[in-house]
Amino acid sequence: MPIFAVHYTYSEATVPGRDAHRPEHRGWLSGLVDAGTLLSSGPYPDGSGALLLFRAEDETALQDLLAKDPFAREGLVDAVRTVEWLPVMGAFSA
């Protein structure tokens, strides 16, 4: 199953909303880790966004999934970039 790198971009304007909805967001992510859909996730240290690594059937399935993210539902992600990724070495390689 393909792996996708998802880059979220955040702004200062969304900090209060992200702080308020972070427990729900992380709970949603945790469930995806348990299901094997989310491989890894974490924010960038400078607060500018986050990187999430997903397994998904295709881009459409991934977009449907991302729409369920509490941060997305609340309009707290300023931009999303998704790229199919093909790791050839390391923990996520086939």
Side-chain angles (χ1 to χ4, degrees), residues 4-81:
F4 292 87
V6 176
H7 302 268
Y8 279 1
T9 301
Y10 302 140
S11 66
E12 284 294 316
T14 63
V15 169
R18 285 184 286 119
D19 288 346
H21 294 280
R22 186 167 289 112
E24 184 183 4
H25 168 72
R26 288 198 174 160
W28 178 76
L29 293 172
S30 181
L32 295 175
V33 168
D34 292 345
T37 303
L38 179 64
L39 301 174
S40 190
S41 170
Y44 300 130
D46 67 1
S48 66
L51 173 65
L52 306 93
L53 298 176
F54 286 95
R55 287 193 190 279
E57 289 293 328
D58 54 32
E59 181 80 21
T60 300
L62 177 65
Q63 293 302 325
D64 290 346
L65 182 64
L66 293 176
K68 297 174 184 171
D69 183 344
F71 277 9
R73 287 195 332 255
E74 296 296 326
L76 302 172
V77 181
D78 294 305
V80 178
R81 178 175 179 249

